[in-house]
Amino acid sequence: MNNQKTYEKSNKIETVALNSFNSKDYYALLSTNEDAFNRQQKAQKLIDYLCSKFKINSVQVIVRNSIQPHSVRETDKLRSKTLGSYNNGFRVITIYNLTAKKRKPVAIKTFVNTLLHEFMHHYDYEKLGFYTSLHTAGFYKRITDLKNKLEK
């Protein structure tokens, strides 16, 4: 399947395959402190739960207690930053725990949103069978759908 067909298919899928979730692990992660190790433990627990629930291969979560990779303009303004990444070949989600400029722990809501974004890439490969995971409108709607269902 080429990128255009994958893009079109991804765009049409706006919800995740399940409707009910146990929100315990989601809220436990939201209430964790700023420590990278604690965040990693609770993030892994949530991701393990989601992988089990969707019946897909597990993925490892790594929370790096380092600043987000970033680039700056000549004016010293932030041009881009990487909050997290997903490596399909190794099935690894990496989240950076410290902000690019202030080097402070990332806000927990940003952390969780990044985790769910990277999980959705994993979902696209494992559950939807895509050979690539594109940032389509459908991709972002699936993240919102999953988050809304976890918050119930």
Side-chain angles (χ1 to χ4, degrees), residues 96-134:
Y96 298 93
N97 198 44
L98 303 177
T99 61
K101 294 287 273 182
K102 294 185 178 179
R103 303 171 191 269
K104 303 246 183 206
V106 173
I108 193 62
K109 286 188 177 185
T110 301
F111 180 92
V112 172
N113 288 339
T114 302
L115 180 68
L116 294 179
H117 174 106
E118 301 308 335
F119 173 77
M120 194 53 59
H121 286 300
H122 182 64
Y123 178 91
D124 281 1
Y125 285 103
E126 297 284 326
K127 188 71 175 176
L128 299 181
F130 294 162
Y131 81 95
T132 189
S133 178
L134 303 169

